[in-house]
Amino acid sequence: MTTTVTSRHPRAPRHAPLSVTIASWAVPFMVVAQYALIAGVPVAIALVGALRHVRDRAVRLAAVLVAVSYAVPLAVWLIRPDGAQSLSKDMHPGFAGLIVAASALLLATLYRARRLTPDT
């Protein structure tokens, strides 16, 4: 006689929280609107939310890419002795484009993960 053990609590798919999606949308808008320093808040929300609540590896990697692409110009601005008074003025347009592209990649992976994960 064989017995099949089934879990009482099947693991439900873990979608990205709404806060991660909203933060991912906010990052490129804030960077383009010259609020780059304040954009660190949605970057942190997207990173922590993606790492804690999303199982899809692509979403996690995209969130790390957004955080790293934001951290590099922030570190350059903080370390440079003759930097501008704001991060937005000191940031090279290429870095702004990289942050926007990384945010777009994060949004695409969030929507792909939601579409591929079956609802229960």
Side-chain angles (χ1 to χ4, degrees):
M1 178 173 175
T2 60
T3 323
T4 305
V5 178
T6 58
S7 174
R8 291 186 205 169
H9 306 288
R11 293 189 105 158
R14 293 174 68 182
H15 294 295
L18 184 61
S19 61
V20 174
T21 305
I22 291 172
S24 301
W25 276 105
V27 171
F29 286 113
M30 293 179 93
V31 169
V32 169
Q34 299 292 312
Y35 292 104
L37 188 60
I38 300 172
V41 174
V43 167
I45 291 171
L47 178 66
V48 171
L51 292 179
R52 289 197 57 169
H53 299 291
V54 181
R55 290 196 180 131
D56 190 5
R57 178 176 266 175
V59 174
R60 290 177 173 206
L61 289 175
V64 168
L65 180 65
V66 170
V68 168
S69 66
Y70 178 79
V72 169
L74 179 65
V76 168
W77 179 64
L78 290 173
I79 293 171
R80 182 189 282 174
D82 61 339
Q85 291 189 356
S86 73
L87 176 60
S88 299
K89 292 180 181 178
D90 196 49
M91 186 186 304
H92 189 275
F95 279 124
L98 181 65
I99 293 170
V100 170
S103 297
L105 177 67
L106 177 58
L107 286 166
T109 57
L110 282 169
Y111 287 119
R112 182 192 60 85
R114 179 170 289 276
R115 190 188 70 210
L116 293 179
T117 306
D119 290 330
T120 56

